[in-house]
Amino acid sequence: MLTEWASWRWVMYVNVVFAVPALIGALLLLAKPAITKKPKLDIPGILVVSAALFAVVYGFAHVESTSWTDPVALGSMIVGAVLLVVFVWLETRVAHPLLPLRVVLDRTRGGSFMAVFVIGMGMFSIFLFLTYYFAASLGYSPIKTGLVYLPMVAAVVASSTTMPVLVLPRVGPKIVITAGFLVAAVGMAMLTQIELDSTYAAHIMPGMILMGLGIGAVMTTAFQGATSGLHHEDSGVASALINTGQQVGGSISTALLTTVASSAATDYLASHKPSALAAAQAGVEGYTATLAWGSGFFVAGAVIAAFLIPNRALEPSEGEPVMAH
């Protein structure tokens, strides 16, 4: 509605409406902590991991305008990977690490962080390229495009509220996350069949609902797993890592899949006579290529969860009440 009735800039401005009351409420209502010692920042770790993530994302983004063999793109990705290794080494040496490795070396938490990362990769591809398809290929308005996502959102809500109570205590996190990824992968694979004349109810909504059910199952379980058994001093780090994993996964997948979409569309146009119909179909070829990759991401997430996450009950964080099942 903001995009259609005002302008796209209002999707930025509207955040102020929520942020200002939240800031005022926090200042007035949250208790001021009693700080006995000044926390120390891991400056080397901050600099190295920031540079590493920037280099990795920049490398993937640079591929779109060049190629996979471009020295700048390859160099950036290699430098980013090396810096990540340096970051891990640093965190074993500094007295106050930015990321205490005990947070991620636990198999349940480590597997859950990986699941969050993969979900970020898949979700961003869904929202970005499906939105392109709705707007550019089917001619949906911004409002209609927003509305057609609601069944998927409802599926996410339904799954995320029922799985922790009804399914997780009975089958364990490994089964829930693995099955959730596979369901989401099937839903996204169904969407690879979309065409210029596809109808929403018959060809699009079923796949979106399946994706929503799978994503909801993975997200709630992975979020619980990522904070399982944590001491209170590590809870902030774990929460930050959850958000970072989602954002970095989305950034990498956006850069990567934009390249995939561009290549698929270019290949289609190169083998067909130029026309308005060919251009439109080329766009669809690009979108379906990204959805196929997204389905592959989810399958990879299922494999990671199946091999990495132990199928034992999730431990509550320190200070969190233990729920009886």
Side-chain angles (χ1 to χ4, degrees):
M1 293 178 184
L2 291 171
T3 302
E4 188 161 326
W5 293 341
S7 79
W8 67 266
R9 289 174 173 82
W10 272 95
V11 304
M12 308 295 179
Y13 297 146
V14 71
N15 294 291
V16 178
V17 177
F18 301 103
V20 170
L23 175 61
I24 294 173
L27 293 173
L28 294 177
L29 302 176
L30 291 181
K32 186 176 181 179
I35 299 175
T36 57
K37 60 180 181 179
K38 185 178 180 180
K40 296 182 179 180
L41 291 177
D42 174 16
I43 300 298
I46 292 171
L47 296 176
V48 170
V49 75
S50 298
L53 295 178
F54 173 83
V56 170
V57 174
Y58 180 80
F60 277 106
H62 197 68
V63 169
E64 181 191 357
S65 57
T66 55
S67 69
W68 288 101
T69 57
D70 179 74
V72 174
L74 279 176
S76 294
M77 288 186 275
I78 292 171
V79 168
V82 171
L83 287 176
L84 284 175
V85 173
V86 172
F87 171 71
V88 173
W89 177 82
L90 279 174
E91 297 309 278
T92 65
R93 297 294 189 272
V94 297
H96 303 281
L98 176 69
L99 174 61
L101 296 184
R102 62 179 177 270
V103 173
V104 295
L105 291 180
D106 176 84
R107 286 179 59 192
T108 297
R109 292 196 294 268
S112 296
F113 285 125
M114 288 298 298
V116 170
F117 176 80
V118 175
I119 278 291
M121 294 185 74
M123 284 181 61
F124 276 76
S125 65
I126 294 166
F127 290 124
L128 179 61
F129 294 100
L130 269 185
T131 299
Y132 286 161
Y133 171 71
F134 289 136
S137 300
L138 300 185
Y140 287 5
S141 68
I143 290 178
K144 187 174 182 179
T145 299
L147 290 175
V148 297
Y149 278 107
L150 291 183
M152 177 181 166
V153 174
V156 171
V157 172
S159 179
S160 61
T161 53
T162 57
M163 283 290 171
V165 177
L166 301 180
V167 180
L168 180 59
R170 292 175 171 81
V171 302
K174 178 198 292 284
I175 303 299
V176 172
I177 293 178
T178 302
F181 269 128
L182 292 176
V183 170
V186 170
M188 192 171 284
M190 292 171 62
L191 289 174
T192 62
Q193 305 304 308
I194 56 177
E195 299 286 351
L196 285 171
D197 58 352
S198 294
T199 60
Y200 174 73
H203 304 115
I204 302 171
M205 186 171 68
M208 294 183 72
I209 290 175
L210 277 180
M211 283 195 301
L213 293 173
I215 289 171
V218 173
M219 285 181 65
T220 48
T221 308
F223 282 13
Q224 288 187 48
T227 57
S228 174
L230 279 177
H231 296 289
H232 67 86
E233 64 266 22
D234 293 331
S235 59
V237 172
S239 298
L241 195 56
I242 290 172
N243 287 299
T244 301
Q246 280 187 299
Q247 296 300 321
V248 172
S251 298
I252 291 175
S253 72
T254 299
L256 171 63
L257 295 180
T258 299
T259 304
V260 169
S262 177
S263 298
T266 301
D267 291 344
Y268 182 86
L269 288 173
S271 59
H272 291 77
K273 186 177 180 180
S275 67
L277 180 60
Q281 184 60 41
V284 174
E285 294 294 324
Y287 308 146
T288 54
T290 64
L291 292 168
W293 274 68
S295 183
F297 291 156
F298 287 154
V299 171
V303 173
I304 292 170
F307 281 95
L308 190 58
I309 299 177
N311 206 36
R312 60 172 181 256
L314 298 178
E315 302 175 30
S317 301
E318 187 179 71
E320 178 183 338
V322 179
M323 296 180 65
H325 298 296

